[in-house]
Amino acid sequence: MTRILLLGGTTEASSLARTLAEAGADAVFSYAGRTAKPVSQPLPTRVGGFGGVEGLSGYLKTESITHVIDATHPFAAQMSTNAVQACKSVGVPICAFERPAWQAGEGDSWLHADSIESAVNALPEAPARVFLAIGKQNLAQFAAKPQHHYLLRLVDAPEADLPLPHTTVEIARGPFDIAGDTALMQRHGITHVVAKNAGGAGAAAKLTAARTLGLPVIMIGRPKVPERPVLGSVAEVMAWIAHPSAA
Ligand SMILES: NC(=O)c1ccc[n+]([C@@H]2O[C@H](COP(=O)([O-])OP(=O)(O)OC[C@H]3O[C@@H](n4cnc5c(N)ncnc54)[C@H](OP(=O)(O)O)[C@@H]3O)[C@@H](O)[C@H]2O)c1
């Protein structure tokens, strides 16, 4: 009997959920619970952390999970690390469904940062207008450069005061398009873009817009996670479910 745990929170996870539901698979979709109104899924859905590696290991056993698919965001490194460890401890196969990282192309002006801290350091000293397109986590680290005006694009309105003195908040949920992102950056007089290298199509419009407007992008590289099979399409994941040892 196959019973799948799909760790979600990305466009890729939602597209895989649709295929699993259409195939009549026995699968549970898991959200961390970071957003107030998560996208509804065509699979039974649970919300909230498992309680670390131990909690997840217990969940896998109690729920008789036979396969885990980690389709979390490439920057959700804690969840991905926990998932590999929990699966190892209870002997359940795991794969990641992950989009390839974005690569700079002709006309792009990217500065590569290997951490949030180095992205902060890469911003200029003179006041700038920064599109800080990194979600709501890690904003506090940018308080080290309070001279800048930060445009934030968030899924939910912030519940608490923001840790940055000069901000404009745009409430929106992707996918985004090039015309919209170009207009957004022009409207706010953006001079710099800070992005996480998420990959995929849904959040790539800001990079094309930055290229068109001749703006520099500070691109934060992906955090390291333990090794596991990484698959790039729904079809590959479906094949892996049938033969997990083949990946
Ligand atoms: N990081 C980003 O930039 C980003 C961007 C877009 C979407 N997301 C999505 O937002 C969610 C949280 O990301 P994060 O970066 O905060 O994760 P994280 O730092 O790797 O995870 C922190 C903790 O949140 C819980 N968690 C994370 N993803 C979960 C899931 N899908 N189901 C159940 N519990 C989950 C786990 O708690 P326990 O230890 O208690 O199990 C995990 O240890 C993920 O679903 C991710 O796909 C993240």
Side-chain angles (χ1 to χ4, degrees):
M1 287 289 281
T2 296
R3 183 161 159 77
I4 297 157
L5 172 64
L6 171 54
L7 302 169
T10 57
T11 322
E12 285 66 23
S14 299
S15 63
L16 180 57
R18 281 193 293 279
T19 302
L20 287 170
E22 280 160 20
D26 181 4
V28 181
F29 192 100
S30 178
Y31 273 126
R34 295 283 187 272
T35 55
K37 287 192 196 122
V39 175
S40 74
Q41 297 295 338
L43 293 173
T45 300
R46 63 166 303 286
V47 180
F50 297 93
V53 176
E54 209 177 310
L56 180 55
S57 306
Y59 178 89
L60 297 177
K61 284 195 275 190
T62 314
E63 290 290 322
S64 306
I65 299 295
T66 59
H67 298 64
V68 174
I69 301 162
D70 177 3
T72 58
H73 191 273
F75 281 72
Q78 186 63 58
M79 185 70 254
S80 296
T81 303
N82 291 356
V84 169
Q85 290 175 3
C87 285
K88 196 171 171 198
S89 78
V90 299
V92 167
I94 180 170
C95 76
F97 178 24
E98 200 173 81
R99 46 217 185 181
W102 292 315
Q103 307 290 335
E106 178 98 28
D108 282 323
S109 167
W110 289 13
L111 282 161
H112 293 276
D114 57 10
S115 64
I116 300 284
E117 193 186 0
S118 41
V120 176
N121 292 336
L123 283 173
E125 294 306 322
R129 295 185 65 84
V130 180
F131 181 16
L132 191 49
I134 61 164
K136 66 179 172 185
Q137 298 177 41
N138 313 113
L139 295 180
Q141 283 169 270
F142 287 84
K145 293 257 170 94
Q147 64 271 45
H148 302 314
H149 186 280
Y150 292 98
L151 170 64
L152 311 176
R153 180 158 62 189
L154 306 175
V155 175
D156 298 311
E159 283 168 6
D161 285 348
L162 291 165
L164 304 168
H166 311 295
T167 56
T168 303
V169 178
E170 176 95 0
I171 304 297
R173 191 194 288 266
F176 303 105
D177 62 51
I178 297 166
D181 276 5
T182 307
L184 177 77
M185 291 189 210
Q186 283 178 315
R187 196 160 65 242
H188 292 280
I190 295 303
T191 58
H192 296 72
V193 177
V194 179
K196 288 175 172 173
N197 198 332
K206 59 181 177 278
L207 307 176
T208 311
R211 183 193 309 144
T212 309
L213 298 171
L215 301 179
V217 175
I218 297 163
M219 183 60 76
I220 305 168
R222 295 179 174 189
K224 289 207 173 13
V225 292
E227 217 163 294
R228 72 272 203 248
V230 177
L231 307 172
S233 68
V234 170
E236 285 174 80
V237 175
M238 296 305 279
W240 176 84
I241 292 167
H243 301 287
S245 54

